[in-house]
Amino acid sequence: MFLRRERRSLWEPCYQTPESELSDAVTWETRARGCDVTRGEVVTGKGVVEIKAVRYSSNCRDNWILKTECDTFFEFCLKFFTSPSDSLSQCDMGSYGPTNHYDDRNYIDFTYVTSFPGGIKNPLKFEVRRFETFDLKFVIRVRDDEAQGSEHLAWLTKVFTHRPAAMEQQSVWSSVQTASSGSYQFLFQFRSYCSPNFYTSACDVYCLAQDSSSGHYTCNQATGAKVCMPGWTGETCTTDIDECAQGICHNGANCTNLPAPTLATARRISSKCDLIYSLCYSKPCYNNGSCLGNTTYFTCSCGANWTGDTCQTMVNFCKSSSCLNGATCVPIVGNYSCVCPKGWMGSNCQTEVNACLSSPCINNGTCVQVAGGEFTCKCTADYGGAHCEKYLDPCLSSPCHNSGTCVRLTHDEFKCTCPVDFTGAACSQYVDVCESSPCQQAGTCTRLAHDRFRCSCTVDYGGPTCEEYRDPCLSRPCLNGATCTRLTHDKYQCSCPVDYTGRECQDYVDPCSSDPCYNLGSCVREAHDVFRCNCTQDYRGGVCEEFVDPCRSLPCLHSGTCVRQAYDDYTCNCTHDYTGSECEKYVDPCRPDPCENSATCVREDFTNYTCVCSAGYTGMNCSQPVGQQERQPLPIILAICGSFLIAIIIVAVFFIVRRRRKKSQFPDTVHVNIREVHNGNDPSVAFDNDLYRHVNMANASLEDSRREKLTCPLIARKLRQPNHHQRPATTC
């Protein structure tokens, strides 16, 4: 037994379950629909409806002036007859489309067409789970393909009744049906049938004949019920019938049940067996066939409509059918049916259809028979259509748009009287003065009336039609010979000469206007970016930033103090041990040596000394021989005093000459004084700035020491707010 689990899919798995595991909650298929034992799947009903397109016609016009027909395409929907007609949103049985369009086609013959443009097959095939009703609604939407999209033309609807055949081979195409709306018509045929192994009129019972461990049965052609083969019984015909239990052996005979389908055979024991069992006992012949047989074999005598060993197969009368002219033969019970191709009729499709017999052409139209049972109508000038049923009034389709008035001229000519805002043959062209693009230079045109407009110009242009180029340089805003460069419609840039500046070059460039010279210096303009400062005598430098101080170079040596007298004059206040205009002379009373007669002079301070006399001499300067020290004549004393006065005069003259020479050299050089540094017995000198030089002064007398001069360029730094009482920094 097989358990069915309800799901949405057409095929679902089912599982063989031991009977001991079944419960009341389990729903078992009592009908053949339930489990495909060959695939282990639950199946539901499955029916098929096929719809074959035959013909389409309309009087649609893409352009009534050019008389072009519509570019038609279709969408198809099959639904219950109670579903809405003008919608494709609820297609209960399925839908197809849209197809690709037919160029300029108002009449389309699908008779020999096997597919629509785009690949959709003709006939259309719709598969359903089961037929809950035999009334179906076929909906066709007709549309026109346009350059800017598509235009809806018509909903075509037809409700029809069908009866599904047991199988496709037994289905017959119905007569032509017409779905129409106004001038739009669509002719089609249909048929319905159950898919293989589905039965009943709803095609919702599944049965697949078996002869295996899964079952031993055939299927009833009408109901789909399982029909067990001889020797088998049970829901799926898997139980071997025990014929011996039916008491078929009499008179003490032993009954042995043989495996189906070889039925039980009675074995005669002497005279007790009164029945020789026949294989016909189980009625192996189907469809009312007659069984003839014994215990070892049987034969079935079938009726006229059935054949096969057990009369299980319907006789296919199509093998000897007389269907003509390419008709399709469909076998039915006891006979056959011919499905005629287009243009033929009769039981065997032997008669060509004369379509003109029914006088299909109206309004004095003439019918002309054509091959294949078709006809064409030659209509009078005022009528058209497949049956000349359409009065050819071009105004009936309202070809004049936008409230234009249509006037019929002939059956295919008309004239439109348009309102003032529209023009054209069909009043479809809006009278738009902007259409001629009157606004220049990418300006935007806005329609105000049928004969008035306004231009919205880009920022670079102006004027009624944006014809004026906006250039701010046209007004010559740049002054003093400057060049104007346009940036945008309202912005410009001036390139000024070197002597002017400002947005419009209105300002004269004078480097002296910022008063760059400090300390009362006067500024002289030499160019637009070059000036010169004339400084007072106490200052110098590029902008008179440097205070002129002769003491800055530390001209006084040996710790002498410099006192500024003027911008080019100073005085040195020397220590006791030095003298001279720059304290360059060491004061040593032993030089010149005052001691005589090879005496040794010993310095006590800057004014006092002691003579260490050699043997035989004495006195202050060892000038007296021993024994004569008490005699010191007056001339000697006077000579000494005279020499001292002369020395003082010489020193004074030296200072005067030295001072005058310094006045003439001061502007060009800076003196760096050397001071004596005593370090043990190694006298040396050092500069008073960051650069030091050592000069060996050993064994040199004070008079022989030289004053070295160093010169360096002054690098003046311009100070915006200098302190007039500070000396500007100078480096070497």
Side-chain angles (χ1 to χ4, degrees), residues 87 129 363 385 505 597 681:
S87 172
R129 287 181 176 271
N363 296 313
C505 306
N597 299 310
N681 296 323

Side-chain angles (χ1 to χ4, degrees), residues 605-675:
D605 56 30
F606 67 94
T607 60
N608 300 313
Y609 63 91
T610 300
C611 290
V612 181
C613 301
S614 59
Y617 292 92
T618 187
M620 181 179 177
N621 294 325
C622 301
S623 59
Q624 299 175 1
V626 176
Q628 297 181 7
Q629 66 262 32
E630 300 297 332
R631 296 178 291 176
Q632 294 184 353
L634 180 60
I636 296 175
I637 295 173
L638 293 175
I640 293 173
C641 290
S643 299
F644 182 73
L645 291 174
I646 292 171
I648 291 174
I649 294 171
I650 293 173
V651 170
V653 172
F654 176 78
F655 270 105
I656 294 173
V657 173
R658 185 69 171 175
R659 181 175 300 171
R660 290 179 178 175
R661 185 168 60 184
K662 287 189 354 181
K663 289 182 179 179
S664 62
Q665 294 178 349
F666 183 80
D668 297 328
T669 60
V670 176
H671 297 273
V672 181
N673 294 330
I674 303 175
R675 73 174 182 272

Side-chain angles (χ1 to χ4, degrees), residues 13-14 28 54 88 188 291 300 435 437 465 478 490 497 632 688:
C14 57
W28 291 93
V54 177
L88 299 178
F188 67 93
C291 181
C300 290
E435 185 175 359
S437 301
T465 59
C478 301
D490 59 354
Q632 294 184 353
D688 286 336

Side-chain angles (χ1 to χ4, degrees), residues 300-350:
C300 290
S301 177
C302 303
N305 298 326
W306 300 95
T307 185
D309 293 339
T310 58
C311 305
Q312 77 279 9
T313 303
M314 183 176 65
V315 175
N316 187 357
F317 288 93
C318 285
K319 293 182 178 179
S320 59
S321 72
S322 300
C323 296
L324 305 175
N325 299 308
T328 300
C329 181
V330 179
I332 57 179
V333 177
N335 205 342
Y336 65 91
S337 174
C338 293
V339 179
C340 300
K342 183 179 179 180
W344 298 93
M345 59 184 296
S347 59
N348 292 320
C349 305
Q350 72 279 6

Side-chain angles (χ1 to χ4, degrees), residues 516-524 532-548 716:
C517 302
Y518 299 118
N519 302 309
L520 303 178
S522 60
C523 180
V524 178
R532 181 183 75 253
C533 288
N534 292 333
C535 306
T536 61
Q537 63 180 2
D538 287 334
Y539 292 90
R540 64 181 175 183
V543 290
C544 306
E545 78 280 5
E546 183 180 348
F547 181 64
V548 179

Side-chain angles (χ1 to χ4, degrees), residues 128-139:
V128 297
R129 287 181 176 271
R130 66 187 305 270
F131 291 113
E132 298 179 1
T133 176
F134 299 116
D135 293 325
L136 299 178
K137 181 183 292 184
F138 187 45
V139 178

